[in-house]
Structure formats: structure tokens, C-alpha cells
Amino acid sequence: MLNFEYYNPTQIVFGKGSIARLAKLVPADARVLVLYGGGSAERNGTLAEVEAALGQRTVQRFAGIEANPSYETLMQAVEQIRREKLDFLLAVGGGSVIDGTKFVAAAVDYAGDPWEILETYGAKIKSALPFGCVLTLPATGSEMNSFSVISRKSLQAKLSFGSKHVFPRFSVLDPTRTYTLPERQVANGVVDAFVHVMEQYLTYPVGAPVQDRYAEGLLQTLVEIGPLALAKPDDYEVRANLMWAATQALNGLIGAGVPQDWATHMIGHEITAMFGLDHAQTLAIVLPALLDQRRAAKRDKLLQYAARVWQIDSGSDDERIDAAIARTRAFFESVGVKTRFGDYGIGADAVPRLIAQLEAHGMTALGERRDMDLALSRRVLEACL
Ligand code: NZQ
Ligand code: ZN
């Protein structure tokens, strides 16, 4: 029986030239901190466009939020905000900058050690500074959700939190701002968005045809436009549709009221924390192996996926499932994201180490039925080799 609450307060401002709208979106008297990454936003002119739109407001910068944003770096932003009495944050970048900004927003007024935010998955957050986003990389959906993933180098940990207090007030999505993305990041974005849909769709049927058809539409759109986004880097229509698809893949709508898996992500985060692989690379490795190992629990949805997303209609059930998993893997490879540990120089000795980290982080009952124990995670990891 469908039974859910859906809440999403983020305003989306979409289209070429939409950065100018910051002039109205940011409160006129705000003391703004603009947070960004390693310099792409500065090099390609996005930052200049943002600062022009902010006009006469007090604006300071915080540079250097790295991919897989680190607690250590973000705490420096927290100090700057406290010292300079800033009161509005603007994230300019991809998922890492936006996630980092969410953490900073929650940490500034947090009573206690801010690392606790991660240890308690955000449950104790009572307030956060208001913030907006200017998205430059379609992938994570962070621009329209209340989740964030933060790494702490000293602990080799990559943990996530969520809170209704860290929804962005608004997100500006200008597809032309993605034209400078390296191919690797475009491909990562396609794979990440695809796997976000799969985490919420490929579980078991609960009589939710709206969510199912919506998810299948997003998957098919990504299959269609993923290769085009690589082949035509400055095609507005393709980039616009990729951006909107990635946002909707993780803004809560397709997941409303349905079971969700997220085991691929939890295992993937451990792989990034240990070996530094890009987030999407870890997903491309884990998802095909996980679907194969979970074929009994996910049988009905795997068959639906095979028929509706890949138009696979012949053969036995197992043959159709095999074919759907093979098509999934081939799709990731076709956009240039490799799908085996060996492709990244990771060997069998990684498996017990990753299992130990999953255990240390309490990831011992994963999946849509919370029945994925460490023994099953081990089998999945072995199938990634
Ligand atoms: O740092 P700069 O110089 O800006 O370069 C970035 C970075 O190196 C570059 N880039 C971004 N926009 C660009 C650009 N280069 C040229 N032109 C542009 N327009 O791209 C590189 C990767 O950026 P990053 O933000 O790390 O990528 P992504 O958006 O894929 O974010 C990945 C992070 O998001 C987390 C991941 O775990 C990872 O830490 N996730 C967040 C989620 C969420 N909040 O809901 C869900 C996801 O599952 C994911 O876990
Ligand atoms: Zn993801």
C-alpha cells in the first residue's frame, strides 16, 4: 500500500543565462560566502558571472573543496564563516562542493563536535545556514536533495548524512556551464544518475506504477543521451536534458513510498575511501555484480527492467536477467567507465579489507530488505574482480 510524505522546498531556476537570477535569489543584505572547488569555476568564468550577479553584497570566497570533500578542508570554511560573520552560502560546483556546503551550513551552529553529524547520519541537526547552489556538473542530484557525503582522510572514512535543514533554498542550473567538463566527469555523471535510479527502482514491486514508469523513463533517457553528451559537448539540448535527468534521479520523487536499496552506494563509498576511485567508477564496478548476486531477491524487477528498459523479451527468466545485466555493464563501458576491479589495479586482497571497513561502519544489514550481510557483500565484492 502506498503511504508516504514528500517534501522538497528547493526552487529550481533552469536555463542558459540563469546565473543572473542570483541577483534576486540571494537576499539583498546577505553576507555571502561563495564556496567552490579546485579552480574549474574560476577558469571557465562561472565564478565571475556569479560575482557579477551578486553585485554590491559583501562576498567572500572559499576555494579548494576537493572531489569527495574532506572534513578537514570544510572545517576551515566553518572557521571563516564564524570569524567573518557570514550568513549565506553559495555553492558553485558539482556534488562535492554542494555536499561540502551542506556540511558547513550544518556545522557552523552545531552544538558539539561537528563530526558527530556524520556519526549520527544528521539526526541531531537542529538548524543550518541558508544556502543556494550553482550547479556545474550533472550527476549527484545534491542540488535538489538533503543528503551529503563527507570524507575524513585521517579515519579513511566516507560517511553520509541527511537532514531537512540542508535542502538548498534554490539551485541554478545553466546547462552551458557544463560545456567545459572533462569527458570523464560527464561519463561519471551519466553513470551516477543511472545508478541513483536503479537504487530506488530495482528492488521488488509494491504497486507503484507511477514511480516505476518515471524511473524507467529516466533510465531510457540516460541511455539515449549519455553517449550524445560525450559526442557533442556543447549541444545545449543534450546537456539540458542530462542535467534535468540527473536532478530528478535523486530529488526524492521516484523514491517516494517505494523500497530502496543503496547497497551499491554504501559499498562504493568504502572503495572510494580506501582507493580514491571516483564515486561513479565504484558504482559501475559494484552494480552489475550486485544485481547478479541478488537475482533471486530482485527477480520480478529484473525481468521488468529487462523488458521495459532494454526490450529483452525472449529466453528463459535467467537468460533475460543475464542479458539485462550484460547490457547495463556494456552501457557503463560504452561511456568509458570501466566495470571491474582489475581495470583500476585493485586485486583480491582488497576484498577482506573492504569487508572490515563495512563492518567498522555498521554496514552489516544493507539492501531493500536489510538482509544483505557481510557474507553477501563479500560475494558481491568477489564478483567485482
Ligand atoms: O574542483 P574543480 O576544479 O571545480 O573540478 C571539478 C572536480 O575535479 C570538476 N568540475 C566540476 N564542474 C566542472 C568541472 N570541470 C570543468 N568544468 C566544469 N563545469 O569535476 C570534478 C568532480 O567534481 P565533483 O563535484 O567531485 O563530482 P560529482 O558531482 O560527481 O560529485 C561527487 C561527490 O558527490 C557525492 C559523491 O560521493 C562524491 O563525493 N554524492 C552525493 C550525493 C548526494 N548529495 O545526494 C549522492 C551521490 O550518490 C554521491 O554519493
Ligand atoms: Zn551516487
Side-chain angles (χ1 to χ4, degrees):
M1 191 204 309
L2 280 181
N3 194 344
F4 61 85
E5 288 183 25
Y6 177 74
Y7 172 70
N8 195 319
T10 302
Q11 176 184 359
I12 297 294
V13 180
F14 193 100
K16 183 175 160 64
S18 50
I19 289 177
R21 292 268 289 119
L22 288 172
K24 289 266 171 0
L25 292 164
V26 177
D29 58 351
R31 293 174 57 80
V32 185
L33 183 65
V34 175
L35 301 98
Y36 58 104
S40 73
E42 205 166 3
R43 283 192 300 276
N44 64 24
T46 306
L47 207 59
E49 207 177 326
V50 165
E51 290 182 344
L54 290 174
Q56 296 307 309
R57 292 172 181 84
T58 301
V59 176
Q60 294 193 9
R61 294 179 172 191
F62 183 84
I65 297 181
E66 54 287 78
N68 309 306
S70 80
Y71 174 81
E72 289 87 346
T73 300
L74 297 168
M75 286 308 291
Q76 295 172 25
V78 170
E79 276 168 32
Q80 184 174 342
I81 292 161
R82 287 178 180 154
R83 191 176 61 237
E84 305 289 334
K85 306 205 178 341
L86 305 172
D87 58 18
F88 195 95
L89 310 183
L90 190 59
V92 180
S96 293
V97 172
I98 298 174
D99 282 10
T101 300
K102 288 175 179 176
F103 175 77
V104 169
V108 168
D109 287 328
Y110 191 78
D113 175 2
W115 183 243
E116 203 183 88
I117 292 173
L118 281 309
E119 289 173 336
T120 56
Y121 311 104
K124 291 191 184 171
I125 298 172
K126 297 217 165 51
S127 67
L129 279 186
F131 69 96
C133 310
V134 174
L135 182 69
T136 64
L137 197 177
T140 63
S142 188
E143 65 277 9
M144 200 179 173
N145 71 38
S146 56
F147 308 118
S148 165
V149 193
I150 304 298
S151 299
R152 188 162 182 176
K153 292 175 194 157
S154 59
L155 301 179
Q156 217 177 65
K158 181 173 182 180
L159 302 177
S160 49
F161 76 93
S163 164
K164 66 171 193 235
H165 299 292
V166 296
F167 274 108
R169 294 284 163 108
F170 61 78
S171 283
V172 172
L173 278 57
D174 179 345
T176 67
R177 289 287 133 211
T178 73
Y179 291 174
T180 55
L181 279 169
E183 279 188 11
R184 169 168 149 193
Q185 299 303 340
V186 177
N188 280 348
V190 170
V191 169
D192 194 21
F194 191 95
V195 179
H196 291 161
V197 179
M198 293 291 271
E199 298 273 28
Q200 301 164 84
Y201 163 74
L202 223 150
T203 57
Y204 54 87
V206 290
V210 175
Q211 288 87 329
D212 277 5
R213 296 278 188 193
Y214 186 177
E216 287 153 1
L218 289 173
L219 293 173
Q220 286 175 303
T221 303
L222 290 165
V223 169
E224 238 168 68
I225 64 177
L228 294 176
L230 290 168
K232 304 177 177 180
D234 52 6
D235 183 316
Y236 182 83
E237 202 171 300
V238 170
R239 286 296 165 100
N241 283 294
L242 175 58
M243 212 169 200
W244 195 216
T247 298
Q248 298 195 53
L250 195 46
N251 71 355
L253 262 183
I254 61 169
V258 302
Q260 302 192 14
D261 184 340
W262 297 106
T264 297
H265 269 72
M266 294 307 117
I267 297 172
H269 290 168
E270 298 299 350
I271 299 171
T272 295
M274 193 169 292
F275 297 105
L277 268 58
D278 293 349
H279 173 61
Q281 293 172 336
T282 70
L283 307 177
I285 296 169
V286 176
L287 183 75
L290 182 138
L291 293 179
D292 192 26
Q293 294 297 314
R294 297 289 265 165
R295 66 172 59 216
K298 292 179 181 288
R299 172 164 301 261
D300 293 342
K301 273 302 193 62
L302 277 166
L303 289 168
Q304 181 177 324
Y305 169 66
R308 293 192 190 169
V309 176
W310 298 109
Q311 288 76 47
I312 298 165
D313 292 315
S314 59
S316 68
D317 283 6
D318 272 315
E319 282 166 355
R320 281 182 281 156
I321 290 171
D322 283 341
I325 296 171
R327 295 288 292 272
T328 309
R329 184 186 294 282
F331 173 59
F332 295 161
E333 298 265 355
S334 78
V335 292
V337 185
K338 299 277 184 225
T339 61
R340 299 273 182 196
F341 271 150
D343 297 319
Y344 302 91
I346 297 174
D349 56 324
V351 175
R353 292 171 60 204
L354 288 166
I355 291 293
Q357 288 298 84
L358 282 169
E359 186 168 22
H361 296 140
M363 303 291 167
T364 54
L366 298 174
E368 60 270 22
R369 294 186 196 273
R370 304 285 165 260
D371 60 348
M372 191 162 163
D373 58 12
L374 290 176
L376 188 45
S377 288
R378 181 185 296 274
R379 287 207 294 282
V380 169
L381 285 167
E382 283 165 355
C384 295
L385 291 166

